[in-house]
Amino acid sequence: MLLTQRKGRIIFGRVGLIGISIFLAAVSATAEGLTINSPQAGGGIGWSNAFPVGIISLQTATNVAGPWSNRVNFFTSNSVAAGVAPLGSDNTFVRLLAVDVSTNTPNHFTNLVNSYGILETVAGKGQFMGDKVDNWQATNEGGFATNANLSRSHWAFADPRNDDIIIVDEGSSGILKVTPDGRIHTIAGTHINGFNGDGPAAATNLNLYWPNGGWMRTDGTFYILDTYNGKVRRLDTNGILSTLFTTSPMGAGRAFWIKSDESLIYFGSGSPASTNLNMWTPTGGVGVVRSDFKDLGNIMGDEKTGDLYVTDRSAYRVYRMSTNGTLTTIAGNGTAIGGGDGFPALQTGLQKPRTICFLPNGAGYFIGEHEGGIWYVDAAGIIHRWLAGDNVGTKPRGDGQWFYNDPTSPKVTKVRSVTLDRHGNMVIMENNYAFVRRIHFDRLSP
């Protein structure tokens, strides 16, 4: 029997699945009602009539009366989809909770906030803060990541294949990974500044020189902005490092984005501030797109439209750049003051915006501030404080707590990058002392 909810009425039933009794209920839905489709082996559950811009929480219990435990969340971007949750060997009761995170509901931001859970530190010991100073020790290799001093790292990404966290560790001239068991390893670079070949060669045999940018492709291929060598490198999934192209040293360049087919690359350059946005194509080589930025932060491209999203921390603005190079401000009023939580993003002062990250279902995007925290901007252009921050903290704050607990209390400092992993967890690179933080995409209150 399939289980549905129609116009608020919950209908229950039981389905046998590989010797397990699965009890299903659709808990919240669109006006037409969330429908659970046939369950599949391995815990797969399909649904239809979900919110087009929403979140599905798949929850389980050993008794229909609960208590219920959240197993996994999914962003929904259409009405029909499926997910997988780990199920026990005994009778398992399963339900789906659907929430709307579009601006069709006044509760969209609350629904998003309540879908995220615990804040934790993934990597970084935080003893040193020097710029372009190598804090890496050989004894860190294979040890716990929270016992390793990072070297003013600027980027952290999740590998979509295995959930490793990849860190661009600028000061140690290395690329690091943190495995799901919390161990840290070098995957590119020798921790010696310089150049000893373009490859292709084993990535841990080739020198990097203060890399300051990275980009993760959906298949796990990783790209490195090898800033002081003036090179863009490709780290293949087999551990081989090669060079895509060489240009002049990039100085303070950190902005970096690569189209998935490698037909277009944008990167920043300039000294002492990153004022130039450059473009590379296989046929046209390197050219300057614009040279009038004040100090580029990170960038994000849209492969469908060709638009590029640009943060300029010293202009206190976030822009959308069209394919002809025209800039349109989408957030920030050009100062560090004004507006704030619940105001239009264009009326709000940003504390040196440095990074931008979009939700996968089009609900909105996050802005990380170099001297503040993290904002969320919804599809209507209204800004909401996601995580409070400052420019003076020296240690992680708020670990082990719901990330939104005491939302006005600073929990991050000098945010460098914000990215999402394949599960929707938020990965944050922050602080001159260099910490990787993570907010779990996991509802705490079923």
Side-chain angles (χ1 to χ4, degrees), residues 83-219:
V84 176
L87 301 177
S89 58
D90 299 324
N91 285 353
T92 301
F93 299 89
V94 178
R95 71 180 187 182
L96 300 181
L97 172 64
V99 296
D100 190 356
V101 295
S102 77
T103 53
N104 291 329
T105 171
N107 297 323
H108 64 280
F109 180 65
T110 299
N111 288 340
L112 180 63
V113 164
N114 288 337
S115 297
Y116 274 84
I118 296 298
L119 173 65
E120 65 176 350
T121 299
V122 175
K125 190 174 183 179
Q127 289 181 308
F128 310 110
M129 63 165 288
D131 192 14
K132 297 180 175 62
V133 175
D134 184 1
N135 298 319
W136 182 259
Q137 300 292 322
T139 53
N140 293 336
E141 201 71 51
F144 286 107
T146 51
N147 290 335
N149 284 301
L150 304 177
S151 305
R152 212 157 181 169
S153 313
H154 281 75
W155 273 103
F157 297 85
D159 190 321
R161 301 169 301 159
N162 51 28
D163 301 325
D164 291 344
I165 302 295
I166 309 301
I167 302 169
V168 180
D169 199 39
E170 182 191 20
S172 81
S173 292
I175 308 299
L176 312 173
K177 75 173 179 181
V178 180
T179 51
D181 62 358
R183 304 281 181 166
I184 195 165
H185 309 266
T186 303
I187 59 172
T190 62
H191 301 293
I192 298 173
N193 296 336
F195 174 71
N196 63 348
D198 281 313
T204 51
N205 291 336
L206 293 180
N207 294 338
L208 303 171
Y209 198 163
W210 291 339
N212 201 22
W215 187 255
M216 179 67 73
R217 200 165 71 181
T218 55
D219 66 352

Side-chain angles (χ1 to χ4, degrees), residues 28-34 47-56 74-80 97-102 104-105 111 361:
S28 177
T30 63
E32 291 300 318
L34 179 67
W47 59 79
S48 57
N49 292 329
F51 290 107
V53 181
I55 294 171
I56 287 279
F74 304 94
F75 286 105
T76 57
S77 55
N78 53 49
S79 62
V80 180
L97 172 64
V99 296
D100 190 356
V101 295
S102 77
N104 291 329
T105 171
N111 288 340
N361 61 358

Side-chain angles (χ1 to χ4, degrees), residues 428-442:
I428 303 165
M429 187 79 241
E430 62 134 335
N431 212 301
N432 287 349
Y433 288 86
F435 302 102
V436 180
R437 315 290 298 285
R438 178 166 55 201
I439 305 174
H440 286 263
F441 188 40
D442 185 13

